Amino acid sequence: LFMEVIERNRQRALLIAPAQLRDGMWAQFRARYQSGIEVVSFEQVADDAQLGEGEGSALKADVDDYSLIVIDEAHAFRNPDAKRARALRRLLRGDPPKKVVMLTATPVNNSLWDLYDLLTYFVGHDAVFADRGIPSLKRRFHEAAAEDPFTLRPDVLFDILDATTVRRTRHFVQRFYPNDHFRLPDGNEVTIRFPEPVVRSLTYDLDEVL
C-alpha cells in the first residue's frame, strides 16, 4: 500500500508510531525499501502546529497533501479526549477523504468502546453500515456492551468487524503464504521469512542487593 500511494500515485503517505518504533523498526523499513513515507511519533503529532494545540513542525507538508495515514499501535488513540486523539482527528479531515490504516494487536483494552472509538476515526457516519442491517453503529455497541463479555455472541459485532478489519497472525502468514515474496526497489525478490527466536536463560539473585 505504501508503494502504491507513494510510487504509483505520486502521493504523500504518513506513518504515526511510538518514538521507539519510529527510530527502530520503521527507520529500518524506510532504509531497506527506500520508502518515501514520512514517519512521526505520537508526541510529534500531538505537538504539531498545523493540528491545533502545539508549536512543533514535524509534518513536512500541508495536512491536506497527505493521501494515506497509517497508525501503528493504534490502540494508543482509543481515548477520544486525549490531545493526540484530537490532533489525529484534525489530520484526518479534508476532502477527498484520506485512506486510513490502523495497526494494533489489542484493539480492546478496557471495554468494547475502545474499538468503537478506533472505528470512528475512519467510519464516515453512524449509519454507514445500514446496508448490513445496522442502522446505528453506536446503538449496536451499546447492545454489545450490555452483554456479558465472556458470552458475547460472535454475530453481535461480526458484520462490523468483517467490513473494517483484517486479522493476520504470524501463524496465518506462515501457513497460507509459505513461499510468498515481495520485490525490493532494486528489482530483487525476497521470500517472506520470520526470524527464528533465540532464547537464552539468565539466572540472577536479588538477595545481596536487597
Side-chain angles (χ1 to χ4, degrees):
L1 185 58
F2 290 152
M3 303 307 177
E4 176 182 343
V5 169
I6 296 171
E7 296 182 4
R8 187 182 308 169
N9 298 343
R10 301 298 181 185
Q11 297 171 323
R12 285 185 176 272
L14 179 70
L15 188 143
I16 306 168
Q20 64 269 29
L21 294 183
R22 175 201 61 190
D23 300 334
M25 179 188 75
W26 287 113
Q28 296 172 21
F29 175 90
R30 293 184 66 201
R32 182 174 187 184
Y33 300 109
Q34 302 171 29
S35 171
I37 188 172
E38 296 176 34
V39 185
V40 296
S41 70
F42 296 162
E43 292 74 18
Q44 287 176 307
V45 166
D47 192 50
D48 194 274
Q50 288 195 70
L51 303 179
E53 296 186 41
E55 299 178 354
S57 56
L59 300 183
K60 297 179 181 179
D62 185 270
V63 170
D64 292 332
D65 290 341
Y66 294 99
S67 173
L68 170 68
I69 308 295
V70 179
I71 304 105
D72 197 1
E73 302 290 343
H75 51 271
F77 289 85
R78 67 185 181 274
N79 180 359
D81 298 320
K83 182 179 178 181
R84 66 176 61 164
R86 294 194 298 270
L88 178 60
R89 291 190 187 281
R90 293 187 185 101
L91 174 63
L92 297 180
R93 292 173 185 166
D95 190 27
K98 298 176 176 65
K99 298 182 178 71
V100 182
V101 177
M102 310 190 90
L103 310 175
T104 177
T106 54
V108 176
N109 287 259
N110 302 313
S111 74
L112 287 176
W113 290 107
D114 292 342
L115 176 60
Y116 172 82
D117 287 325
L118 293 180
L119 291 176
T120 58
Y121 284 106
F122 59 87
V123 170
H125 54 84
D126 190 54
V128 70
F129 300 114
D131 61 338
R132 292 174 175 259
I134 305 171
S136 168
L137 179 65
K138 193 168 189 176
R139 189 184 312 145
R140 173 59 67 89
F141 268 86
H142 273 295
E143 295 169 357
E147 294 196 19
D148 184 335
F150 295 102
T151 59
L152 184 66
R153 292 175 291 109
D155 62 311
V156 172
L157 293 177
F158 178 81
D159 287 351
I160 296 171
L161 295 176
D162 184 53
T164 59
T165 64
V166 176
R167 182 174 182 265
R168 290 291 182 267
T169 63
R170 176 181 298 212
H171 176 72
F172 181 96
V173 174
Q174 289 174 323
R175 180 179 178 184
F176 293 101
Y177 301 91
N179 298 306
D180 207 4
H181 56 270
F182 52 91
R183 188 182 300 274
L184 297 175
D186 60 8
N188 290 325
E189 292 188 346
V190 179
T191 303
I192 294 177
R193 291 285 185 271
F194 287 101
E196 290 294 331
V198 178
V199 181
R200 289 190 305 137
S201 187
L202 181 63
T203 303
Y204 58 92
D205 188 344
L206 296 178
D207 289 345
E208 183 177 345
V209 176
L210 296 176

